[in-house]
Amino acid sequence: MSSLSVAKIQEDFPILKREVNGKRLVYLDSASSSQTPTSVLDAMNNCYQNTYANVHRGVYTIAEETTSAFEGARLAISRFIGASSPSEVVFTRNATEAVNLVAQTWGRTNLKPGDAIVLTQMEHHANIVPWQMLAAELDLELRWIPITPDYQLDLTNLESLLSGAKLLAFSSMSNVLGTINDVPALVAAAHNAGALALVDACQSVPNLPTNVVTDNSDFMVFSAHKMLGPSGVGALWARAELLEAMPPFLGGGEMIRDVTLEGFTTNEIPWKFEAGTPAIVEVIGWGAAVDYLEKIGLAAVREHEAELTAYALDALADRFGKKLTIYGPLDIAHRGSAISFLFEDIHAHDISQVVDEEAVCVRAGHHCAKPLMRVLGVPATTRASFYIYNDTRDIDILVDALVRAEKFFGV
Amino acid sequence: MSGLEDLYREIILDHYRAPRNRGTLSVPPAHQVEGFNPLCGDEVVLYLDISDGAITDITTAGQGCSISQASTSMMSNAVKGKSVEESRKIIRAFKALMSVHESHLQGAENGPTEGPVPDDVRLGDLEALQGVVKFPVRIKCATLAWNTLIQGLDETSGGS
């Protein structure tokens, strides 16, 4: 049924050959972190085995080779998101650090007491806490876009929420609900109100075609480890003129143009924000991940996930009916693959434990979105999410494993 | 399913499905104490009626996974009506049952309950929770109620 040849893709992921409890690993937690294909591992290994040296420092051959691979990866990643220049892509430790970078540099220089930042109730802690920290420091007002009963943003009062606000920071795809938010429309609303827009695109960049120019946003954060790349590196994309005007974030090597005993001047963007030796090999691995995804094509990735998600929603509803409550839109056009659910009164951790016996990996808990869990009125959910290496067989195994959980806890 | 059946013993599932001593007590005179497991959202609320150096009544509230809720229920049965001193011995014995694996999991350790593991405490049904040690991430679920009880006893008895 799928537009992807999943069996062939699975061959590219060594971990999928692993067994847990004597059973084939069924990995349904890619919304948390994705698995890594051989081409990414090879790119990283190749760097360590053949070219490794620090970047932007040596003039010797291997230093130039590594620098070229590192900046080549930046170029590939910038093209992947439709950026007009690689200088607009700043490498960070992860997307969380990228949000903190914006809060601590753009935020501190552009916000003053009484200013408002608008967030949504479906944000990850990474797009809440940095703003709460800044709000406490600068005496800012935080406003929240609520969610509707069908798990969409409730835009009824958007205009008044944005009135006088300086920033709208929102997720393009909820990591709990799967909800896809309309990025260009929200950005336009922010701009109409005179606010800038920051997009937390961690969930959407791996799964949907992304173009920061047509989105017209001001800042976008995303990370490698959710899109087949390694952990330890993420990025901030921002319009060049914003990056130029922002003060540096961390101080140290690489981010300087000159240092004297009296002070320093900053390097050009993006290096101005990249103090210290970066995650060199991880960035190179990220570049290989982008190459891998581009060969498949993001339109095909999206189509495959939509098919799998529809199959899973149907399978869960058919088998469990009203015993299983899904927290998220049921319309495939408005959601990604993350399916959060409550199964009668069996706690998410117990479900996760029982399905682990069948080698099924699902996430259990609050998914780093406790404010959203409070709005939903649930302490924890179980979440399954799918990526290019999953197929309908995986979903059948999940459903069978849930049947075992149901029997075990005697629902 | 042998591993799972070690974890989810029938007696544990029984306490989970039908928790004992559920409810609240009027505060005051009862003392209320809450414990949270921030990792998974487990929540335990204990109401302790302590007089003449004994836990004359204990009720529990909160929500969480089967292990945390069963452990709370079994703990309440184990200490209800016991002297504070005896309760602390039971806590020490229970934590010893878990402690091999808890030492690196930031257990909330409180002074007065530390000490030699008593060898004269019979844990009885509580030993069913020993299967949890094979699942290190769940040990925090099993010990939550006990750490919360320690906190409650310390708050009411001034650590004596």
Side-chain angles (χ1 to χ4, degrees), chain A residues 53 99 150 197 219 235 303 323 339 350:
Chain A
V99 176
D150 56 348
F219 305 101
E303 194 185 333
K323 285 182 176 178
I339 299 178
D350 292 318

Side-chain angles (χ1 to χ4, degrees), chain A residues 167-202:
Chain A
L167 179 73
L168 168 63
F170 67 97
S171 168
S172 48
M173 184 192 282
S174 163
N175 69 311
V176 178
L177 308 170
T179 308
I180 295 173
N181 291 319
D182 186 342
V183 175
L186 286 163
V187 170
H191 288 174
N192 281 341
L196 296 188
L198 178 144
V199 183
D200 171 359
C202 285

Side-chain angles (χ1 to χ4, degrees), chain A residues 345 349-350 353 404 408, chain B residues 1 8 16 40 66 135 138:
Chain A
D345 56 356
H349 284 108
D350 292 318
Q353 191 90 59
R404 296 201 73 164
F408 205 89
Chain B
M1 285 280 249
Y8 296 118
Y16 170 56
C40 58
S66 58
F135 300 85
R138 305 299 293 276

Side-chain angles (χ1 to χ4, degrees), chain B residues 44-86:
Chain B
V44 166
V45 186
L46 303 179
Y47 296 86
L48 299 168
D49 216 336
I50 296 177
S51 53
D52 299 331
I55 301 174
T56 50
D57 201 1
I58 176 170
T59 63
T60 76
Q63 48 75 32
C65 69
S66 58
I67 300 299
S68 73
Q69 298 308 298
S71 185
T72 305
S73 170
M74 293 166 89
M75 179 276 287
S76 68
N77 263 6
V79 302
K80 188 171 177 175
K82 300 274 194 332
S83 70
V84 169
E85 192 187 350
E86 203 173 344

Side-chain angles (χ1 to χ4, degrees), chain B residues 31-127:
Chain B
H31 182 72
Q32 180 184 347
V33 59
E34 295 177 23
F36 297 94
N37 182 345
L39 186 71
C40 58
D42 286 345
E43 180 194 4
V44 166
V45 186
L46 303 179
Y47 296 86
L48 299 168
D49 216 336
I50 296 177
S51 53
D52 299 331
I55 301 174
T56 50
D57 201 1
I58 176 170
T59 63
T60 76
Q63 48 75 32
C65 69
S66 58
I67 300 299
S68 73
Q69 298 308 298
S71 185
T72 305
S73 170
M74 293 166 89
M75 179 276 287
S76 68
N77 263 6
V79 302
K80 188 171 177 175
K82 300 274 194 332
S83 70
V84 169
E85 192 187 350
E86 203 173 344
S87 298
R88 286 194 189 275
K89 276 170 107 178
I90 297 170
I91 295 169
R92 275 207 298 279
F94 179 78
K95 293 199 67 169
L97 195 71
M98 299 283 136
S99 66
V100 182
H101 298 267
E102 203 202 21
S103 51
H104 66 287
L105 291 173
Q106 325 165 339
E109 304 298 347
N110 295 39
T113 307
E114 290 302 283
V117 177
D119 51 14
D120 58 340
V121 173
R122 291 179 56 85
L123 286 172
D125 287 354
L126 287 167
E127 283 176 5

